[in-house]
Each structure stands twice: as structure tokens, then as C-alpha cells.
Amino acid sequence: MTTQTTIPPEAAVMARLSTLDRFLPVWIVAAMLLGLALGSLIPGLDTALEAVKIGEVSLPIAIGLLVMMYPVLAKVRYDQAHRVIADKKLMISSLVINWVLAPAFMFVLAWIFLADLPEYRTGLIIVGLARCIAMVMIWNDLACGDRESAAVLVAINSVFQVIAFGALGWFYLQLLPSWLGLPTTNAEFSFWAITASVLIFLGIPLLAGFLTRTLGEKAHGRDWYEGTFLPRLGPWALYGLLFTITLLFALQGGTITSKPLDVARIALPLLVYFVVVFAAGMLVGKWLDLGYAKTATLAFTAAGNNFELAIAVAVGTFGVTSGQALAGVVGPLIEVPALVALVYAALWARRRFFSPVPASL
């Protein structure tokens, strides 16, 4: 008689990650350390990086930002939007959590934890406004979420950010604080500056991603596009992220090494945010009886943030050496291990509260 071996969910998660993705926190830390070393060893590096700019962003950093955004947006199946839009419960709950509750919660956390550090507080609020589009696809797949729903929610979030990010930034950074009698973001902030950053660093790769999928599938078919082209393109998102983090840390080195407690204070509200918003998404999905796959997708798309866009907006609006940019850079360092841990939490919740787990997982 053959004995069937059950693979622990944790081992299955790690086995399904590529080597590149499996050690993502390690690569991010390595990029940070490399950036710190470059900043201290190469005199005049900041001057060289600022020599050529796109808007207010140095050309090398702008290239890194665009490279890390484009592959993610080329993965989205834009033609599936109608199927998810037809699911009213999923759509409404996702929009409410993503665009009402989560940004408001991050606003509250920023003021609780960083009331005396306005630059970091502003950067954290910007992170809260940058809704998921990137690594959430990986976490959702590992947790056995609904892949098509995740892809469409990512596409909707992408388009919505292009349209509404500037207005939401103005609301949370100037209007709402003034209503509450709190200090508003300084005069450097501009609705149009944030809108321009979003249009450049999200609008351009969004259009490029849409055209790449549309033309690629038309020329070679979906099987070739997703089985051959995307695996070659995908790693470039991480390369762009690591390149950008290296340059940002090269410019932020003095602040980081002199103020490690500030970095820790940025990290703490981010951890609280990821855990609470993820739990809320799981509870809402269970309450609405969405089933495990869509519930997991709802939770991950709510908890995940587009830290690439947050970095781009902070750099483009406030400058590459600003506290806002540092808050954005701390984002992926915290988000990656937090979301990996939440993958395990989702798989545990499926065994405990949803359908039985197949033997293969």
C-alpha cells in the first residue's frame, strides 16, 4: 500500500517561490547596505545622480522606478475586468476597504506614531494611499487566492490611482488635518506635483503594460505571453526595485545611520497596518460568504501597498533625500516579511474556517 505524504503548507509556500522571490528580504537588505556603502565611499555621488532629471527626479532613479513598475502591470489580464466587476460583493467591499478604510487607518496610525515627525508622517500617509499592484500577485498566488480577481482588482486600483491619487493626497495631507485642527503638510506639497508623479511613474508603465499584453497576445497568443514572455520579464520588477533602493539609500545614508530609532518608528505603524487591514479583509470576506479564494484575495489586495508608487511620489514631490522618501523606502523592507507571514496566516485560516486543504498543499 502506498503512503501519501502531506506537504506542510509552509514548505509548499517556500517551494513555490523562485529563488529570487524566496530571498527577497535578503536582497532588499543587501541593496540597502550596498547603498549605504556607496554613499559613504563615493564623494559627490549625490551631485552626479542629480545632474540629469525627469521632472524633480534624477534620471537613474526615474529609470529604476519605471523598470520596477512596468513588468507588474504587464502581468494584468485587463480583459477579465468584467467578471470581477460583476461580483458586486467583492467589488464594493474591495473599494471600500482599499479607498476609504485603509487610507483612513494609515492616517490615524501616522498621527499616533509619528505626530512629532512630520516628514515621516507624510511619507507614511502616502504609503497608505498607494494601493496594491505589485507583489500582492505573488502573495495571493501562494495563499491560493483567486488569481483573476486579484489581477482585475490590481488593474482597477492602478487606474483609480491615476485618477484619484492627487485628490486623496490633498485630502489627507491638507484638508482633513485642517478640519481636525492638526498641522498640514508644508508648502512643498502640491496636488499637481503628486498628480504629475502618478501620471509619470504609474501612468506610463500602466499604458506600456496594457499595450504589451494586448499586442503580445495578439501576435503570439496568451500561452506564449504568460508561459514564455512574462517569466523573462517578471524579474526586472525586482531588479528595478533593488536598483532604486540602492540609490535611495546611497543618498539617505547619513539620515539612516544617524537616526536608526526613526526607522524603527516608521516600521512599527506599518506592521500594525498590515496585520489589522489583512485581518479585516479576511473577516469581511468570511462575513460576506465570498469563499476562501476571493476572501484571501480581498485581504491581500487590502493589506498590500504599492510601495513602488509611494517611493516614486515621495521622491518626485519632496525630493530624493527627504524624510518622506525614507518612509517610502522602509515600506518594502517591512511589507515583504509581513506579507509572507500573512500567507501562512491565510493558509491556517483556510484549514480552520473554510474548506478542507487539498493533499497537495
Side-chain angles (χ1 to χ4, degrees):
M1 185 175 76
T2 302
T3 302
Q4 187 175 28
T5 302
T6 301
I7 301 174
E10 293 79 4
V13 167
M14 296 308 295
R16 291 166 61 190
L17 277 171
S18 68
T19 301
L20 195 65
D21 293 328
R22 188 178 306 165
F23 296 102
L24 183 55
V26 176
W27 309 141
I28 290 176
V29 171
M32 292 175 173
L33 295 176
L34 176 60
L36 293 175
L38 290 175
S40 61
L41 295 175
I42 304 178
L45 178 62
D46 54 345
T47 303
L49 290 175
E50 295 290 328
V52 182
K53 293 185 176 183
I54 295 180
E56 296 299 319
V57 182
S58 72
L59 180 60
I61 293 177
I63 292 173
L65 293 170
L66 292 171
V67 168
M68 72 182 179
M69 297 287 281
Y70 164 61
V72 175
L73 292 163
K75 292 181 179 181
V76 176
R77 290 183 175 181
Y78 297 93
D79 62 345
Q80 295 295 313
H82 66 281
R83 185 178 69 83
V84 178
I85 291 173
D87 188 334
K88 302 301 183 185
K89 289 194 295 185
L90 177 62
M91 273 297 301
I92 293 173
S93 58
S94 177
L95 289 173
V96 169
I97 294 176
N98 268 286
W99 294 102
V100 180
L101 300 181
F105 184 52
M106 187 69 91
F107 175 86
V108 172
L109 290 175
W111 275 98
I112 290 174
F113 287 93
L114 299 168
D116 59 328
L117 297 170
E119 288 193 358
Y120 302 151
R121 184 181 69 233
T122 297
L124 202 67
I125 292 171
I126 290 174
V127 171
L129 296 178
R131 308 312 306 154
C132 69
I133 70 165
M135 293 298 294
V136 71
M137 300 293 291
I138 294 177
W139 315 135
N140 182 73
D141 276 357
L142 290 174
C144 301
D146 187 308
R147 180 177 296 176
E148 294 308 320
S149 293
V152 174
L153 291 177
V154 161
I156 291 170
N157 281 344
S158 300
V159 174
F160 199 87
Q161 283 176 102
V162 173
I163 297 171
F165 195 102
L168 288 171
W170 169 74
F171 176 77
Y172 280 104
L173 296 176
Q174 291 194 326
L175 185 60
L176 183 57
S178 69
W179 285 351
L180 299 175
L182 300 171
T184 59
T185 298
N186 60 36
E188 294 177 26
F189 169 80
S190 163
F191 167 84
W192 297 112
I194 283 189
T195 301
S197 295
V198 174
L199 288 174
I200 293 171
F201 296 110
L202 180 58
I204 291 175
L206 177 62
L207 178 61
F210 173 78
L211 292 175
T212 300
R213 176 172 279 278
T214 301
L215 298 177
E217 287 190 357
K218 185 177 181 180
H220 301 284
R222 176 161 289 183
D223 290 342
W224 172 88
Y225 184 84
E226 296 188 344
T228 303
F229 178 73
L230 285 183
R232 296 174 182 173
L233 178 67
W236 284 93
L238 179 55
Y239 301 152
L241 174 63
L242 295 178
F243 176 75
T244 303
I245 287 176
T246 299
L247 294 184
L248 290 174
F249 268 71
L251 297 172
Q252 292 271 14
T255 301
I256 294 166
T257 55
S258 64
K259 300 179 180 179
L261 290 179
D262 288 359
V263 175
R265 288 185 61 183
I266 296 169
L268 183 57
L270 284 169
L271 283 173
V272 174
Y273 172 87
F274 294 136
V275 172
V276 172
V277 175
F278 175 83
M282 292 294 289
L283 290 172
V284 169
K286 179 66 175 175
W287 176 59
L288 294 175
D289 197 24
L290 294 177
Y292 171 77
K294 289 184 178 180
T295 296
T297 297
L298 176 65
F300 279 103
T301 53
N305 286 86
N306 182 2
F307 49 75
E308 299 95 332
L309 178 61
I311 293 171
V313 169
V315 169
T317 306
F318 299 99
V320 71
T321 60
S322 65
Q324 291 88 343
L326 177 60
V329 170
V330 172
L333 178 64
I334 305 304
E335 178 166 344
V336 171
L339 270 291
V340 170
L342 292 175
V343 168
Y344 298 143
L347 294 173
W348 173 84
R350 182 172 72 165
R351 295 195 305 273
R352 181 69 176 81
F353 301 109
F354 294 88
S355 59
V357 183
S360 61
L361 195 63

PDB file of all heavy atoms in Angstrom, residues 256-286:
ATOM      1  N   ILE A 256      19.898  57.598   7.799  1.00  0.00           N
ATOM      2  CA  ILE A 256      19.608  56.260   8.295  1.00  0.00           C
ATOM      3  C   ILE A 256      20.558  55.866   9.418  1.00  0.00           C
ATOM      4  O   ILE A 256      20.137  55.355  10.460  1.00  0.00           O
ATOM      5  CB  ILE A 256      19.685  55.245   7.139  1.00  0.00           C
ATOM      6  CG1 ILE A 256      18.564  55.525   6.132  1.00  0.00           C
ATOM      7  CG2 ILE A 256      19.579  53.814   7.662  1.00  0.00           C
ATOM      8  CD1 ILE A 256      18.746  54.834   4.820  1.00  0.00           C
ATOM      9  N   THR A 257      21.851  56.090   9.210  1.00  0.00           N
ATOM     10  CA  THR A 257      22.828  55.674  10.215  1.00  0.00           C
ATOM     11  C   THR A 257      22.780  56.547  11.465  1.00  0.00           C
ATOM     12  O   THR A 257      23.114  56.081  12.555  1.00  0.00           O
ATOM     13  CB  THR A 257      24.247  55.707   9.624  1.00  0.00           C
ATOM     14  OG1 THR A 257      24.518  57.018   9.086  1.00  0.00           O
ATOM     15  CG2 THR A 257      24.394  54.669   8.516  1.00  0.00           C
ATOM     16  N   SER A 258      22.359  57.785  11.307  1.00  0.00           N
ATOM     17  CA  SER A 258      22.319  58.687  12.461  1.00  0.00           C
ATOM     18  C   SER A 258      20.994  58.622  13.216  1.00  0.00           C
ATOM     19  O   SER A 258      20.914  59.059  14.365  1.00  0.00           O
ATOM     20  CB  SER A 258      22.573  60.129  12.025  1.00  0.00           C
ATOM     21  OG  SER A 258      21.546  60.596  11.164  1.00  0.00           O
ATOM     22  N   LYS A 259      19.953  58.059  12.597  1.00  0.00           N
ATOM     23  CA  LYS A 259      18.635  58.033  13.227  1.00  0.00           C
ATOM     24  C   LYS A 259      17.973  56.662  13.097  1.00  0.00           C
ATOM     25  O   LYS A 259      16.878  56.530  12.530  1.00  0.00           O
ATOM     26  CB  LYS A 259      17.730  59.098  12.602  1.00  0.00           C
ATOM     27  CG  LYS A 259      18.258  60.521  12.746  1.00  0.00           C
ATOM     28  CD  LYS A 259      17.331  61.515  12.083  1.00  0.00           C
ATOM     29  CE  LYS A 259      17.838  62.940  12.223  1.00  0.00           C
ATOM     30  NZ  LYS A 259      16.937  63.917  11.552  1.00  0.00           N
ATOM     31  N   PRO A 260      18.606  55.597  13.606  1.00  0.00           N
ATOM     32  CA  PRO A 260      18.004  54.262  13.482  1.00  0.00           C
ATOM     33  C   PRO A 260      16.666  54.144  14.201  1.00  0.00           C
ATOM     34  O   PRO A 260      15.793  53.383  13.779  1.00  0.00           O
ATOM     35  CB  PRO A 260      19.057  53.341  14.107  1.00  0.00           C
ATOM     36  CG  PRO A 260      19.859  54.229  15.011  1.00  0.00           C
ATOM     37  CD  PRO A 260      19.881  55.563  14.342  1.00  0.00           C
ATOM     38  N   LEU A 261      16.492  54.909  15.287  1.00  0.00           N
ATOM     39  CA  LEU A 261      15.219  54.845  16.005  1.00  0.00           C
ATOM     40  C   LEU A 261      14.081  55.411  15.157  1.00  0.00           C
ATOM     41  O   LEU A 261      12.934  54.964  15.272  1.00  0.00           O
ATOM     42  CB  LEU A 261      15.317  55.600  17.334  1.00  0.00           C
ATOM     43  CG  LEU A 261      16.203  54.951  18.400  1.00  0.00           C
ATOM     44  CD1 LEU A 261      16.230  55.813  19.659  1.00  0.00           C
ATOM     45  CD2 LEU A 261      15.706  53.544  18.731  1.00  0.00           C
ATOM     46  N   ASP A 262      14.382  56.392  14.319  1.00  0.00           N
ATOM     47  CA  ASP A 262      13.363  56.925  13.418  1.00  0.00           C
ATOM     48  C   ASP A 262      12.885  55.843  12.458  1.00  0.00           C
ATOM     49  O   ASP A 262      11.681  55.731  12.167  1.00  0.00           O
ATOM     50  CB  ASP A 262      13.913  58.118  12.627  1.00  0.00           C
ATOM     51  CG  ASP A 262      14.082  59.356  13.501  1.00  0.00           C
ATOM     52  OD1 ASP A 262      13.747  59.283  14.699  1.00  0.00           O
ATOM     53  OD2 ASP A 262      14.553  60.381  12.977  1.00  0.00           O
ATOM     54  N   VAL A 263      13.832  55.049  11.945  1.00  0.00           N
ATOM     55  CA  VAL A 263      13.470  53.959  11.031  1.00  0.00           C
ATOM     56  C   VAL A 263      12.572  52.959  11.756  1.00  0.00           C
ATOM     57  O   VAL A 263      11.574  52.473  11.214  1.00  0.00           O
ATOM     58  CB  VAL A 263      14.728  53.265  10.482  1.00  0.00           C
ATOM     59  CG1 VAL A 263      14.347  52.051   9.628  1.00  0.00           C
ATOM     60  CG2 VAL A 263      15.565  54.243   9.660  1.00  0.00           C
ATOM     61  N   ALA A 264      12.913  52.652  13.008  1.00  0.00           N
ATOM     62  CA  ALA A 264      12.092  51.731  13.796  1.00  0.00           C
ATOM     63  C   ALA A 264      10.699  52.307  14.031  1.00  0.00           C
ATOM     64  O   ALA A 264       9.695  51.569  13.999  1.00  0.00           O
ATOM     65  CB  ALA A 264      12.765  51.436  15.131  1.00  0.00           C
ATOM     66  N   ARG A 265      10.617  53.607  14.239  1.00  0.00           N
ATOM     67  CA  ARG A 265       9.308  54.232  14.458  1.00  0.00           C
ATOM     68  C   ARG A 265       8.455  54.221  13.189  1.00  0.00           C
ATOM     69  O   ARG A 265       7.226  54.165  13.269  1.00  0.00           O
ATOM     70  CB  ARG A 265       9.494  55.661  14.960  1.00  0.00           C
ATOM     71  CG  ARG A 265       9.995  55.738  16.398  1.00  0.00           C
ATOM     72  CD  ARG A 265      10.041  57.167  16.889  1.00  0.00           C
ATOM     73  NE  ARG A 265       8.718  57.788  16.880  1.00  0.00           N
ATOM     74  CZ  ARG A 265       8.493  59.053  17.218  1.00  0.00           C
ATOM     75  NH1 ARG A 265       9.521  59.833  17.578  1.00  0.00           N
ATOM     76  NH2 ARG A 265       7.273  59.544  17.191  1.00  0.00           N
ATOM     77  N   ILE A 266       9.083  54.273  12.028  1.00  0.00           N
ATOM     78  CA  ILE A 266       8.340  54.133  10.770  1.00  0.00           C
ATOM     79  C   ILE A 266       7.852  52.709  10.610  1.00  0.00           C
ATOM     80  O   ILE A 266       6.733  52.451  10.141  1.00  0.00           O
ATOM     81  CB  ILE A 266       9.226  54.541   9.578  1.00  0.00           C
ATOM     82  CG1 ILE A 266       9.594  56.021   9.649  1.00  0.00           C
ATOM     83  CG2 ILE A 266       8.508  54.255   8.255  1.00  0.00           C
ATOM     84  CD1 ILE A 266      10.671  56.427   8.659  1.00  0.00           C
ATOM     85  N   ALA A 267       8.689  51.753  11.000  1.00  0.00           N
ATOM     86  CA  ALA A 267       8.367  50.339  10.801  1.00  0.00           C
ATOM     87  C   ALA A 267       7.186  49.881  11.652  1.00  0.00           C
ATOM     88  O   ALA A 267       6.353  49.073  11.200  1.00  0.00           O
ATOM     89  CB  ALA A 267       9.593  49.482  11.098  1.00  0.00           C
ATOM     90  N   LEU A 268       7.087  50.370  12.868  1.00  0.00           N
ATOM     91  CA  LEU A 268       6.058  49.880  13.799  1.00  0.00           C
ATOM     92  C   LEU A 268       4.634  50.112  13.293  1.00  0.00           C
ATOM     93  O   LEU A 268       3.830  49.165  13.254  1.00  0.00           O
ATOM     94  CB  LEU A 268       6.259  50.508  15.180  1.00  0.00           C
ATOM     95  CG  LEU A 268       5.295  50.020  16.271  1.00  0.00           C
ATOM     96  CD1 LEU A 268       5.375  48.513  16.427  1.00  0.00           C
ATOM     97  CD2 LEU A 268       5.606  50.719  17.600  1.00  0.00           C
ATOM     98  N   PRO A 269       4.259  51.332  12.889  1.00  0.00           N
ATOM     99  CA  PRO A 269       2.887  51.501  12.380  1.00  0.00           C
ATOM    100  C   PRO A 269       2.632  50.709  11.096  1.00  0.00           C
ATOM    101  O   PRO A 269       1.498  50.291  10.847  1.00  0.00           O
ATOM    102  CB  PRO A 269       2.780  53.010  12.135  1.00  0.00           C
ATOM    103  CG  PRO A 269       4.174  53.515  12.066  1.00  0.00           C
ATOM    104  CD  PRO A 269       4.968  52.623  12.961  1.00  0.00           C
ATOM    105  N   LEU A 270       3.670  50.489  10.296  1.00  0.00           N
ATOM    106  CA  LEU A 270       3.489  49.663   9.104  1.00  0.00           C
ATOM    107  C   LEU A 270       3.111  48.237   9.480  1.00  0.00           C
ATOM    108  O   LEU A 270       2.208  47.638   8.875  1.00  0.00           O
ATOM    109  CB  LEU A 270       4.768  49.662   8.262  1.00  0.00           C
ATOM    110  CG  LEU A 270       5.040  50.929   7.447  1.00  0.00           C
ATOM    111  CD1 LEU A 270       6.457  50.905   6.887  1.00  0.00           C
ATOM    112  CD2 LEU A 270       4.028  51.081   6.312  1.00  0.00           C
ATOM    113  N   LEU A 271       3.773  47.677  10.480  1.00  0.00           N
ATOM    114  CA  LEU A 271       3.432  46.328  10.926  1.00  0.00           C
ATOM    115  C   LEU A 271       1.996  46.257  11.438  1.00  0.00           C
ATOM    116  O   LEU A 271       1.249  45.325  11.114  1.00  0.00           O
ATOM    117  CB  LEU A 271       4.401  45.888  12.027  1.00  0.00           C
ATOM    118  CG  LEU A 271       5.793  45.441  11.580  1.00  0.00           C
ATOM    119  CD1 LEU A 271       6.684  45.210  12.786  1.00  0.00           C
ATOM    120  CD2 LEU A 271       5.698  44.174  10.736  1.00  0.00           C
ATOM    121  N   VAL A 272       1.613  47.245  12.237  1.00  0.00           N
ATOM    122  CA  VAL A 272       0.239  47.286  12.753  1.00  0.00           C
ATOM    123  C   VAL A 272      -0.743  47.359  11.592  1.00  0.00           C
ATOM    124  O   VAL A 272      -1.767  46.646  11.562  1.00  0.00           O
ATOM    125  CB  VAL A 272       0.051  48.483  13.701  1.00  0.00           C
ATOM    126  CG1 VAL A 272      -1.421  48.617  14.111  1.00  0.00           C
ATOM    127  CG2 VAL A 272       0.932  48.337  14.935  1.00  0.00           C
ATOM    128  N   TYR A 273      -0.445  48.197  10.618  1.00  0.00           N
ATOM    129  CA  TYR A 273      -1.322  48.380   9.463  1.00  0.00           C
ATOM    130  C   TYR A 273      -1.523  47.068   8.709  1.00  0.00           C
ATOM    131  O   TYR A 273      -2.662  46.668   8.429  1.00  0.00           O
ATOM    132  CB  TYR A 273      -0.721  49.429   8.537  1.00  0.00           C
ATOM    133  CG  TYR A 273      -1.437  49.574   7.220  1.00  0.00           C
ATOM    134  CD1 TYR A 273      -2.528  50.428   7.087  1.00  0.00           C
ATOM    135  CD2 TYR A 273      -1.028  48.857   6.104  1.00  0.00           C
ATOM    136  CE1 TYR A 273      -3.189  50.549   5.877  1.00  0.00           C
ATOM    137  CE2 TYR A 273      -1.686  48.967   4.892  1.00  0.00           C
ATOM    138  CZ  TYR A 273      -2.763  49.815   4.783  1.00  0.00           C
ATOM    139  OH  TYR A 273      -3.415  49.926   3.590  1.00  0.00           O
ATOM    140  N   PHE A 274      -0.449  46.378   8.376  1.00  0.00           N
ATOM    141  CA  PHE A 274      -0.559  45.145   7.584  1.00  0.00           C
ATOM    142  C   PHE A 274      -1.404  44.102   8.297  1.00  0.00           C
ATOM    143  O   PHE A 274      -2.281  43.467   7.693  1.00  0.00           O
ATOM    144  CB  PHE A 274       0.835  44.573   7.293  1.00  0.00           C
ATOM    145  CG  PHE A 274       1.674  45.440   6.396  1.00  0.00           C
ATOM    146  CD1 PHE A 274       3.006  45.671   6.685  1.00  0.00           C
ATOM    147  CD2 PHE A 274       1.135  46.035   5.264  1.00  0.00           C
ATOM    148  CE1 PHE A 274       3.781  46.470   5.867  1.00  0.00           C
ATOM    149  CE2 PHE A 274       1.901  46.839   4.438  1.00  0.00           C
ATOM    150  CZ  PHE A 274       3.227  47.058   4.745  1.00  0.00           C
ATOM    151  N   VAL A 275      -1.162  43.912   9.575  1.00  0.00           N
ATOM    152  CA  VAL A 275      -1.872  42.874  10.316  1.00  0.00           C
ATOM    153  C   VAL A 275      -3.352  43.211  10.457  1.00  0.00           C
ATOM    154  O   VAL A 275      -4.232  42.372  10.198  1.00  0.00           O
ATOM    155  CB  VAL A 275      -1.227  42.674  11.701  1.00  0.00           C
ATOM    156  CG1 VAL A 275      -2.079  41.729  12.554  1.00  0.00           C
ATOM    157  CG2 VAL A 275       0.180  42.111  11.556  1.00  0.00           C
ATOM    158  N   VAL A 276      -3.657  44.440  10.845  1.00  0.00           N
ATOM    159  CA  VAL A 276      -5.051  44.821  11.105  1.00  0.00           C
ATOM    160  C   VAL A 276      -5.865  44.838   9.810  1.00  0.00           C
ATOM    161  O   VAL A 276      -6.991  44.319   9.765  1.00  0.00           O
ATOM    162  CB  VAL A 276      -5.108  46.187  11.815  1.00  0.00           C
ATOM    163  CG1 VAL A 276      -6.555  46.681  11.897  1.00  0.00           C
ATOM    164  CG2 VAL A 276      -4.506  46.090  13.204  1.00  0.00           C
ATOM    165  N   VAL A 277      -5.322  45.424   8.748  1.00  0.00           N
ATOM    166  CA  VAL A 277      -6.074  45.510   7.494  1.00  0.00           C
ATOM    167  C   VAL A 277      -6.270  44.127   6.890  1.00  0.00           C
ATOM    168  O   VAL A 277      -7.348  43.806   6.357  1.00  0.00           O
ATOM    169  CB  VAL A 277      -5.378  46.454   6.503  1.00  0.00           C
ATOM    170  CG1 VAL A 277      -6.085  46.445   5.153  1.00  0.00           C
ATOM    171  CG2 VAL A 277      -5.350  47.869   7.063  1.00  0.00           C
ATOM    172  N   PHE A 278      -5.257  43.269   6.959  1.00  0.00           N
ATOM    173  CA  PHE A 278      -5.408  41.899   6.464  1.00  0.00           C
ATOM    174  C   PHE A 278      -6.505  41.163   7.238  1.00  0.00           C
ATOM    175  O   PHE A 278      -7.373  40.517   6.638  1.00  0.00           O
ATOM    176  CB  PHE A 278      -4.086  41.150   6.596  1.00  0.00           C
ATOM    177  CG  PHE A 278      -4.176  39.693   6.231  1.00  0.00           C
ATOM    178  CD1 PHE A 278      -4.105  39.293   4.907  1.00  0.00           C
ATOM    179  CD2 PHE A 278      -4.343  38.723   7.210  1.00  0.00           C
ATOM    180  CE1 PHE A 278      -4.203  37.958   4.570  1.00  0.00           C
ATOM    181  CE2 PHE A 278      -4.444  37.383   6.876  1.00  0.00           C
ATOM    182  CZ  PHE A 278      -4.363  36.995   5.550  1.00  0.00           C
ATOM    183  N   ALA A 279      -6.465  41.261   8.557  1.00  0.00           N
ATOM    184  CA  ALA A 279      -7.485  40.597   9.374  1.00  0.00           C
ATOM    185  C   ALA A 279      -8.878  41.120   9.045  1.00  0.00           C
ATOM    186  O   ALA A 279      -9.846  40.348   8.958  1.00  0.00           O
ATOM    187  CB  ALA A 279      -7.170  40.792  10.854  1.00  0.00           C
ATOM    188  N   ALA A 280      -8.990  42.424   8.834  1.00  0.00           N
ATOM    189  CA  ALA A 280     -10.287  42.997   8.481  1.00  0.00           C
ATOM    190  C   ALA A 280     -10.783  42.446   7.153  1.00  0.00           C
ATOM    191  O   ALA A 280     -11.972  42.119   7.004  1.00  0.00           O
ATOM    192  CB  ALA A 280     -10.175  44.519   8.415  1.00  0.00           C
ATOM    193  N   GLY A 281      -9.878  42.325   6.176  1.00  0.00           N
ATOM    194  CA  GLY A 281     -10.272  41.773   4.889  1.00  0.00           C
ATOM    195  C   GLY A 281     -10.753  40.336   4.998  1.00  0.00           C
ATOM    196  O   GLY A 281     -11.753  39.953   4.378  1.00  0.00           O
ATOM    197  N   MET A 282     -10.066  39.528   5.790  1.00  0.00           N
ATOM    198  CA  MET A 282     -10.481  38.133   5.978  1.00  0.00           C
ATOM    199  C   MET A 282     -11.838  38.056   6.665  1.00  0.00           C
ATOM    200  O   MET A 282     -12.705  37.251   6.279  1.00  0.00           O
ATOM    201  CB  MET A 282      -9.429  37.386   6.801  1.00  0.00           C
ATOM    202  CG  MET A 282      -8.093  37.186   6.110  1.00  0.00           C
ATOM    203  SD  MET A 282      -8.161  36.098   4.646  1.00  0.00           S
ATOM    204  CE  MET A 282      -8.430  34.491   5.431  1.00  0.00           C
ATOM    205  N   LEU A 283     -12.047  38.884   7.677  1.00  0.00           N
ATOM    206  CA  LEU A 283     -13.324  38.865   8.398  1.00  0.00           C
ATOM    207  C   LEU A 283     -14.482  39.321   7.516  1.00  0.00           C
ATOM    208  O   LEU A 283     -15.570  38.726   7.540  1.00  0.00           O
ATOM    209  CB  LEU A 283     -13.229  39.754   9.648  1.00  0.00           C
ATOM    210  CG  LEU A 283     -12.328  39.231  10.774  1.00  0.00           C
ATOM    211  CD1 LEU A 283     -12.169  40.292  11.853  1.00  0.00           C
ATOM    212  CD2 LEU A 283     -12.905  37.943  11.358  1.00  0.00           C
ATOM    213  N   VAL A 284     -14.254  40.360   6.728  1.00  0.00           N
ATOM    214  CA  VAL A 284     -15.299  40.849   5.826  1.00  0.00           C
ATOM    215  C   VAL A 284     -15.632  39.799   4.777  1.00  0.00           C
ATOM    216  O   VAL A 284     -16.804  39.539   4.479  1.00  0.00           O
ATOM    217  CB  VAL A 284     -14.867  42.177   5.163  1.00  0.00           C
ATOM    218  CG1 VAL A 284     -15.829  42.542   4.027  1.00  0.00           C
ATOM    219  CG2 VAL A 284     -14.816  43.291   6.190  1.00  0.00           C
ATOM    220  N   GLY A 285     -14.596  39.168   4.188  1.00  0.00           N
ATOM    221  CA  GLY A 285     -14.841  38.133   3.197  1.00  0.00           C
ATOM    222  C   GLY A 285     -15.613  36.949   3.753  1.00  0.00           C
ATOM    223  O   GLY A 285     -16.506  36.407   3.097  1.00  0.00           O
ATOM    224  N   LYS A 286     -15.263  36.547   4.963  1.00  0.00           N
ATOM    225  CA  LYS A 286     -15.986  35.450   5.616  1.00  0.00           C
ATOM    226  C   LYS A 286     -17.425  35.849   5.900  1.00  0.00           C
ATOM    227  O   LYS A 286     -18.359  35.059   5.681  1.00  0.00           O
ATOM    228  CB  LYS A 286     -15.262  35.089   6.923  1.00  0.00           C
ATOM    229  CG  LYS A 286     -15.929  33.978   7.718  1.00  0.00           C
ATOM    230  CD  LYS A 286     -15.877  32.656   6.993  1.00  0.00           C
ATOM    231  CE  LYS A 286     -16.448  31.544   7.871  1.00  0.00           C
ATOM    232  NZ  LYS A 286     -16.524  30.249   7.145  1.00  0.00           N
TER     233      LYS A 286
END
